[in-house]
Amino acid sequence: MSRNRSMIFLLALLLLAGSVSAAEPKDAVSGQRALEHVRELVRFGGRVPGSPNHGRAQRYIIRQLRHASADEIEEVDFVAQTPRGKVRMKNIIAKFPGPSREMVVLAGHYDTLAQENFIGANDGGSSTALLLELARVLGRRKNPLTVWVVFFDGEEAFKRFSPTDGFYGSRHQVSAWKADGILDRIKALIVVDMIGDKNLNLRRERNSTAWLVDLVWQIARASGHGIHFLDQTTVIEDDHIPFVQAGVPAVDLIDLDYGPGNRYWHTPDDTVDKVSARSMEIVGEVVLKTVERLGRRWPGRKSH
Ligand SMILES: [Zn+2]
């Protein structure tokens, strides 16, 4: 090859490399990575609180968060009083500090329903997977405000959802954060749940805080994802409820319309083949853009 030819060859290579990295910027949410996490989690089987598989899932989450270079990983251990007696549970918190004390919490549950042959690829799997992928991205960039990524335990009820059965992790966290003053720093809580459905349909959840729902929907529409963020409303009890009751603005992003007639929900049919990388990527992108927007609302006042 002549010197000129090799220069052109090198240039072509550089251009190619450039276009590849432009197609997938380093700090963008990758649905494929999230889907890999779903596959790994499901490989453990059901992740019912107190079971060995549940412990495996915890170790997996913590290992991944270390890779994500979280500033701090906090394990919040507590004992939940359930209809099946006392169960040890653990919330896991990954902390990404920003220029101000004001913070946004991104959360979801990693436990799965206590039911035979249930592996929760979407319900418990997709939320965990997307949060891990969001943590990876948050760890690689400068964030406009402090972001904590929280993996709630014990979202599912052991018998039936009631004020004392279900949402064990979120209920515990609200009271812990009330006691130590953290709660006042939270400007918004974004909960993701069952966001991996191939046929992604998110509805405005009416227990959620109206201005925050509006903001997320506006951002989704501006990003070209409006087709998945329907203008219909729905009412769903989820991990955001204890926070809403405590006065924290919160939004629940959940697609509780899973398969024909919701047939895959809480059944052995909630398997990886029903979960879509693209759906998780879309929700992840909208969540990160919402964090950016909230960062503009609470810009970097120095901590005191
Ligand atoms: Zn569920």
Side-chain angles (χ1 to χ4, degrees), residues 80-118:
Q81 188 65 56
T82 79
R84 295 194 186 163
K86 288 188 168 146
V87 178
R88 289 169 158 287
M89 294 192 187
K90 186 196 287 287
N91 292 337
I92 301 168
I93 307 173
K95 303 179 182 179
F96 299 90
S100 67
R101 284 167 55 83
E102 279 80 13
M103 66 175 173
V104 173
V105 174
L106 311 180
H109 75 96
Y110 73 92
D111 63 302
T112 56
L113 183 71
Q115 186 171 278
E116 226 175 312
N117 298 322
F118 182 77

Side-chain angles (χ1 to χ4, degrees), residues 109 113 118 123-124 155-156 161 193-194 265-266:
H109 75 96
L113 183 71
F118 182 77
D123 192 358
E155 185 266 349
E156 300 288 1
F161 282 114
D193 194 2
M194 298 180 69
W265 180 59
H266 284 184

Side-chain angles (χ1 to χ4, degrees), residues 172-230:
H172 177 83
Q173 208 55 58
V174 163
S175 49
W177 281 344
K178 227 182 240 173
D180 64 14
I182 296 282
L183 209 64
D184 294 333
R185 291 174 51 195
I186 306 175
K187 298 303 163 194
L189 166 80
I190 302 175
V191 171
V192 294
D193 194 2
M194 298 180 69
I195 35 67
D197 186 4
K198 280 199 169 126
N199 181 21
L200 183 67
N201 290 314
L202 298 163
R203 292 177 170 80
R204 294 168 173 268
E205 197 286 312
R206 280 169 45 204
N207 290 312
S208 301
T209 309
W211 69 259
L212 189 54
V213 175
D214 287 345
L215 182 66
V216 171
W217 256 247
Q218 202 184 87
I219 289 168
R221 206 160 294 155
S223 311
H225 302 313
I227 192 168
H228 303 289
F229 289 72
L230 313 185

